[in-house]
Amino acid sequence: MAQARTTAQPGLSQGSPLEDLLTAVGEAAYVWDVESDRLDWTAAAHEVLGLPPATPLETATRFAALFDPDALTTRREAVFGASAADRGDGVPFEVEYPLAPGGRAKRLWVQDRGRWYAGPEGRPARVVGVVRRLGAHYEHAHNAATLARFDPLTGQLSRARLLEVAGATLSATLRMQTACCLVLASLSNLGAINESYGYDVGDLAVVEVARRFRLAMRGGDTLGRFSTSTFGLVLQECDRAELDVVLRRLAAAVHDEPIVTPAGPVSVRMAIGGVVAPRHARDVNEFVAKARAALARAFALPTGIHVYAPDPEREAARRTHMRLADQLVTALNERRVRLAFQPVFRATTREHVWSEALVRVVAEDGEVFSGGPLASAAEEVGLIHMLDRRALDLAAAHLASLPEARVAVNVSAATTADESWLEALSSWLAMRPDLADRLMVEVTETAAIADLGVTAAFVTELHARGVKVAIDDFGAGHTSFRALRELAVDLVKIDGTFVRDLQNDPRSGAFVRALLALARELGFETVAEQVETRAAAEMLTEWGATYLQGELLAAAELA
């Protein structure tokens, strides 16, 4: 091959027959020597790529200078981020990326495919490939795809795309025997900002934190929005010592100066946790789990910063969760997961209105026990979606078989972001539209506040399908009635621990009475759970509870 030239090469007869053929089909071939960075091209590379003749292409670095700054993956990432190893015949790759030689307005997309060959140490040493220009239609398709890959508020990567980058980085780290890190950084007082100044100011704070993080980040690292209040950062070639420095720099970028908003200066507090891989994580799920553990620890520390380190007690708990989750998967596979239904009664008339579906597991010896411990374990190890899906199917089948029945089914925090669960619900409703009016979905308060934005979207989707939504265990977390109004839920279920202590703890009575009064003023219907005594039932009815549920009235019965 000839080195890329700085003058145009018109016509097909000036190159070799192979080069002429490539040019005729709109392709340019290259060879990249990684160590020297030299990049040799076929003669008509400039013409094929639509670049001015003087554009320098003789090194990979100079060619990289043409990349659009927003390019997420380029040739280098495709080659050095590959999980496969060269067994002697090279490793194939294919990638599309944008060039912006004349600014973003003149951006053009190219497809780059080829094969890289390893040197003695197993790392890429020589790359051969072919580049071709993609049509304008690709830009339109890319713009549509971008909406799903980027967070619309901050412009940073979406959670799904961030996790893809984390996976690719971890794979490259394992192959290259280096280190990388995943950082989760949460605005710990975002809820308070939303309450005090409104959600618009909260959004401004989130956007400004993203901007400050971008300025404080190292070159080559990746930023994305992990959830409503949490950002994620993937740090390449970063060990424990460097991670400490990065975390302190990120915290200082936010804490050193308040954020200027139309409502005045706002102080944002961050909790930041990170984990080093592959030392403490060998796959993406473990990467995220360890980063979450570090973030949870950071919330409890005065500094707000924590780097993951093994904890024997936590590891023992993790092993217990894995064992229980395995038991749950076995029970699901063997169809031993059932539903028990506990009636909910109108407080004033004791009329049965609907029933709550509670998960039960039938042991191999026939004993029936609560699915709560297994559900908690499944949530810890990321399998809760399987249980929530089975509960939905069982509840829907129950409703289909009993035309007069009304049922409330519980979902976890993870399911509020699970599109497959909504698709399963839509499938049931397509077959039996009458189920929508007889089904209610309960989301716990702690699940709702874990990501208010995701929960609000989930509630909207359910309402669009005609399904009512209740907030369960209200009072256990820190959700305000203002947030409930934003979520537009239909019903509030008061945390049963307060109801159970009504007669023994005056503070519980005062709390429940205040909740019921405020809910009534704001137009929310309420359910008092775990009603166990006649005196408690009478007090709750007098205080204005709409519905009652508990052992006093009716126990849960297996379907």
Side-chain angles (χ1 to χ4, degrees):
M1 292 183 182
Q3 189 173 356
R5 304 171 189 177
T6 57
T7 56
Q9 301 293 319
L12 298 178
S13 62
Q14 296 187 15
S16 69
L18 177 59
E19 291 179 349
D20 291 346
L21 179 60
L22 287 170
T23 303
V25 297
E27 296 184 345
Y30 64 84
V31 175
W32 174 23
D33 180 75
V34 175
E35 183 176 0
S36 68
D37 201 37
R38 176 171 172 167
L39 194 60
D40 290 332
W41 295 83
T42 48
H46 291 85
E47 177 186 343
V48 169
L49 296 176
L51 298 173
T55 305
L57 302 177
E58 64 272 12
T59 67
T61 300
R62 285 180 174 266
F63 183 61
L66 301 175
F67 295 157
D68 188 313
D70 291 337
L72 299 178
T73 306
T74 62
R75 179 193 300 155
R76 180 176 290 275
E77 283 76 23
V79 171
F80 285 90
S83 57
D86 183 7
R87 306 298 182 186
D89 56 352
V91 178
F93 69 90
E94 182 175 323
V95 64
E96 290 87 30
Y97 49 83
L99 304 179
R104 190 175 180 84
K106 297 183 178 180
R107 188 166 73 165
L108 60 92
W109 280 85
V110 298
Q111 180 190 61
D112 192 337
R113 68 186 189 279
R115 188 175 292 266
W116 63 264
Y117 299 88
E121 297 180 352
R123 301 186 179 189
R126 181 170 173 268
V127 183
V128 298
V130 175
V131 175
R132 72 181 181 92
R133 188 173 178 178
L134 298 171
H137 68 281
Y138 193 88
E139 175 77 10
H140 300 309
H142 172 77
N143 288 339
T146 295
L147 296 176
R149 293 162 64 186
F150 290 91
D151 170 54
L153 176 64
T154 64
Q156 306 308 314
L157 295 187
S158 66
R159 173 177 173 145
R161 178 57 185 159
L162 179 71
L163 295 183
E164 288 179 10
V165 173
T169 302
L170 184 55
S171 296
T173 296
L174 288 166
R175 185 170 54 79
M176 306 292 284
Q177 298 182 353
T178 56
C180 65
C181 299
L182 177 62
V183 174
L184 294 181
S186 182
L187 288 76
S188 57
N189 63 334
L190 181 60
I193 293 172
N194 287 335
E195 286 296 311
S196 301
Y197 302 102
Y199 285 89
D200 289 344
V201 172
D203 287 347
L204 288 175
V206 171
V207 171
E208 176 62 14
V209 168
R211 188 189 71 83
R212 294 187 184 189
F213 276 177
R214 292 295 306 179
L215 294 175
M217 286 166 53
R218 308 178 312 160
D221 293 338
T222 303
L223 174 65
R225 196 174 182 198
F226 189 81
S227 68
T228 299
S229 60
T230 304
F231 289 95
L233 296 95
V234 179
L235 313 181
Q236 301 186 39
E237 297 187 9
C238 181
D239 58 21
R240 169 57 192 268
E242 291 176 290
L243 178 59
D244 286 332
V245 175
V246 170
L247 297 189
R248 288 196 298 270
R249 188 163 64 240
L250 292 173
V254 178
H255 293 160
D256 284 354
E257 294 183 10
I259 292 175
V260 178
T261 75
V266 173
S267 178
V268 174
R269 306 307 300 171
M270 301 298 302
I272 308 176
V275 59
V276 181
R279 182 177 181 182
H280 297 306
R282 307 289 294 186
D283 58 49
V284 173
N285 289 336
E286 191 175 18
F287 213 7
V288 173
K290 298 292 177 64
R292 276 177 159 168
L295 178 61
R297 184 78 179 98
F299 272 105
L301 296 175
T303 61
I305 297 174
H306 182 68
V307 175
Y308 176 85
D311 182 324
E313 291 185 6
R314 187 185 296 119
E315 288 301 311
R318 188 182 68 84
R319 287 192 294 270
T320 299
H321 289 147
M322 291 297 296
R323 176 176 55 80
L324 292 174
D326 286 342
Q327 293 177 12
L328 174 62
V329 171
T330 300
L332 287 168
N333 290 337
E334 295 177 357
R335 301 287 174 177
R336 291 190 283 105
V337 172
R338 307 276 294 280
L339 291 181
F341 295 92
Q342 184 172 37
V344 177
F345 297 90
R346 190 174 298 280
T348 53
T349 64
R350 298 298 194 268
E351 170 196 2
H352 174 209
V353 184
W354 76 89
S355 296
E356 180 182 359
L358 303 170
V359 172
R360 297 289 185 264
V361 178
V362 181
E364 294 180 354
D365 61 2
E367 181 183 359
V368 178
F369 58 94
S370 170
L374 297 188
S376 297
E379 194 155 17
E380 287 291 331
V381 300
L383 297 177
I384 190 64
H385 64 282
M386 299 172 63
L387 183 61
D388 284 352
R389 173 62 187 276
R390 180 62 57 83
L392 170 64
D393 289 341
L394 292 173
H398 178 80
L399 289 172
S401 66
L402 298 173
E404 301 302 317
R406 294 178 179 273
V407 169
V409 63
N410 293 276
V411 297
S412 64
T415 294
T416 60
D418 184 3
E419 292 185 3
S420 65
W421 190 94
L422 284 171
E423 290 171 359
L425 173 62
S426 296
S427 297
W428 273 106
L429 298 182
M431 294 185 293
R432 291 291 302 268
D434 63 299
L435 301 190
D437 186 54
R438 297 187 286 126
L439 179 66
M440 182 185 298
V441 174
E442 295 188 13
V443 183
T444 64
E445 182 188 14
T446 51
I449 64 176
D451 196 324
L452 282 173
V454 170
T455 304
F458 182 67
V459 172
T460 299
E461 291 287 347
L462 291 172
H463 282 164
R465 291 164 173 80
V467 176
K468 293 183 175 63
V469 184
I471 290 293
D472 196 12
D473 297 336
F474 186 77
H478 304 284
T479 306
S480 67
F481 276 99
R482 176 178 175 178
L484 289 181
R485 295 184 69 180
E486 293 286 341
L487 292 175
V489 297
D490 303 286
L491 190 77
V492 176
K493 300 187 74 175
I494 297 173
D495 186 17
T497 56
F498 298 109
V499 175
R500 197 171 55 237
D501 292 339
L502 277 182
Q503 294 172 277
N504 301 322
D505 185 352
R507 292 173 299 180
S508 292
F511 182 71
V512 171
R513 191 170 187 171
L515 284 182
L516 291 173
L518 186 55
R520 186 170 56 253
E521 289 295 323
L522 295 175
F524 287 113
E525 290 191 317
T526 52
V527 178
E529 299 182 286
Q530 297 187 30
V531 179
E532 298 177 350
T533 67
R534 189 175 301 278
E538 291 174 355
M539 279 191 291
L540 291 163
T541 302
E542 181 182 343
W543 292 345
T546 317
Y547 305 100
L548 303 178
Q549 177 182 358
E551 295 290 327
L552 172 71
L553 302 165
E557 293 185 359
L558 198 66

